[in-house]
C-alpha cells in the first residue's frame, strides 16, 4: 500500500498427504496411480484495515501414467497430472482474493536405449493449462487469467568413449493467455526455444576419485 509502512501479520499453514503406487502388470507394462490431498490455511491481520480474517482451502489432485516397454530398447509413456496452489492477493479496498490456481498436464513420449546404453534418447510432448492465475494488470491491480502451454523436449546422452560423454537437450514451447485483457499474449519470462550442449571428459577415473572437465 502507498503511504507510510504498514504493519501486518500473516501466518500460512499447509498440510498435504499423498499416495502413489507403481504397478507392474507384466514385464513390459507398468501403471502409475497417485492421489493427494492438500489443505491451506491463512490467518492474517492487515493494518490499516480494521479487520482480521481466517481463510481455508482444500483440494484433491490426481496422477495417472502408463509405461510400455515395446522392445528391449524402446519404451513409450503417457501421463496425466493435476495440481493446485492457493493464491492470496489484497485489492485496493482491502478485500481478500483467496482462490485456487489449478493446473492440469498431459504428457506423452518415448525413450530409446541403443548400443548397451551408450546412446540414450528421450523425447516428450506436453500440454499444460493453469486456471485462475492471479497476475497484475497494467495498473498493478490483481486480476485472474488462464494460461496454456504446449511444448516438446528432446534429450540426448551419448557416451563417446569410456571417459567422454556428450549431452544435448532442446526445448520448444508456445505459451498464451487464453482469456481476459491479456488474451493472445505470450507468458512473460518463458523462452520459446532453449537448448544446451555439453561435453564431459573424465581426466581421472579411479575407484574412489574422479576429476572431470566439462565444456558447454
Amino acid at each position: 500500500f502507498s503511504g507510510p509502512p504498514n504493519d501486518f501479520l500473516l501466518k500460512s499453514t499447509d498440510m498435504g498427504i499423498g499416495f502413489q503406487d507403481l504397478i507392474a502388470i507384466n514385464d513390459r507394462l507398468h501403471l502409475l496411480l497417485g492421489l493427494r490431498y492438500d489443505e491451506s490455511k491463512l490467518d492474517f491481520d492487515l493494518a490499516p484495515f480494521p479487520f482480521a480474517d481466517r481463510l481455508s482451502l482444500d483440494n484433491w489432485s490426481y496422477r495417472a501414467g502408463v509405461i510400455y516397454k515395446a522392445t528391449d530398447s524402446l519404451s513409450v509413456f503417457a501421463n496425466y497430472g493435476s495440481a493446485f496452489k492457493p493464491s492470496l492477493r489484497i485489492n485496493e479496498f482491502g478485500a481478500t482474493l483467496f482462490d485456487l490456481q489449478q493446473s492440469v498436464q498431459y504428457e506423452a513420449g518415448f525413450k530409446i536405449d541403443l548400443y548397451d546404453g551408450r546412446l540414450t534418447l528421450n523425447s516428450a510432448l506436453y500440454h499444460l493449462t493453469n486456471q485462475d492465475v492471479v497476475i497484475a494488470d497494467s495498473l498493478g491491480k490483481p486480476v485472474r487469467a488462464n494460461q496454456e502451454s504446449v511444448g516438446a523436449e528432446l534429450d540426448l546422452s551419448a557416451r563417446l568413449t569410456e571417459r567422454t560423454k556428450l549431452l544435448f537437450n532442446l526445448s520448444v514451447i508456445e505459451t498464451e493467455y487464453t482469456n481476459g485483457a491479456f488474451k493472445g499474449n505470450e507468458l512473460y519470462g518463458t523462452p520459446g526455444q532453449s537448448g544446451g550442449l555439453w561435453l564431459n571428459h573424465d581426466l581421472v577415473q579411479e575407484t574412489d576419485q574422479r576429476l572431470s572437465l566439462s565444456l558447454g
Side-chain angles (χ1 to χ4, degrees):
F1 304 103
S2 60
N6 304 103
D7 294 326
F8 67 91
L9 171 67
L10 175 63
K11 179 182 179 182
S12 174
T13 305
D14 301 299
M15 182 276 292
I17 181 171
F19 304 91
Q20 184 167 285
D21 192 10
L22 180 61
I23 307 167
I25 303 300
N26 52 47
D27 292 340
R28 293 190 178 275
L29 182 62
H30 293 75
L31 300 180
L32 179 67
L33 300 175
L35 176 67
R36 181 179 174 90
Y37 172 79
D38 286 274
E39 184 180 74
S40 295
K41 294 181 180 179
L42 281 174
D43 293 277
F44 55 92
D45 186 2
L46 302 174
F49 303 110
F51 65 84
D53 209 343
R54 171 175 293 180
L55 298 169
S56 178
L57 285 175
D58 62 271
N59 201 36
W60 293 88
S61 52
Y62 312 93
R63 184 180 183 188
V66 57
I67 305 170
Y68 179 68
K69 191 171 184 179
T71 68
D72 291 339
S73 59
L74 172 63
S75 298
V76 294
F77 73 90
N79 68 63
Y80 161 88
S82 63
F84 92 102
K85 68 176 182 179
S87 179
L88 173 67
R89 293 292 187 275
I90 309 296
N91 67 15
E92 67 271 27
F93 304 108
T96 59
L97 304 174
F98 188 57
D99 204 350
L100 292 177
Q101 173 185 320
Q102 302 189 64
S103 304
V104 175
Q105 177 171 297
Y106 299 90
E107 185 178 13
F110 65 85
K111 177 180 179 182
I112 299 176
D113 285 312
L114 300 173
Y115 308 112
D116 296 326
R118 299 176 68 90
L119 179 64
T120 301
L121 177 66
N122 294 284
S123 181
L125 300 173
Y126 63 90
H127 179 269
L128 172 65
T129 56
N130 294 318
Q131 304 287 330
D132 292 325
V133 182
V134 179
I135 59 176
D137 65 8
S138 58
L139 299 178
K141 297 180 180 180
V143 295
R144 292 194 181 105
N146 299 336
Q147 303 171 343
E148 182 179 74
S149 304
V150 179
E153 296 181 351
L154 178 69
D155 293 281
L156 174 68
S157 173
R159 182 162 292 281
L160 306 179
T161 69
E162 291 301 320
R163 295 193 176 193
T164 306
K165 189 175 184 180
L166 179 70
L167 301 173
F168 170 76
N169 63 79
L170 177 66
S171 176
V172 179
I173 182 173
E174 292 185 357
T175 63
E176 183 183 16
Y177 288 101
T178 58
N179 72 330
F182 295 97
K183 183 177 181 180
N185 290 349
E186 297 180 353
L187 272 64
Y188 174 78
T190 303
Q193 301 87 29
S194 59
L197 181 65
W198 287 90
L199 187 67
N200 181 278
H201 181 71
D202 295 329
L203 301 175
V204 177
Q205 190 181 41
E206 305 292 342
T207 302
D208 57 346
Q209 61 184 356
R210 176 173 295 185
L211 176 63
S212 301
L213 177 68
S214 295
L215 177 66

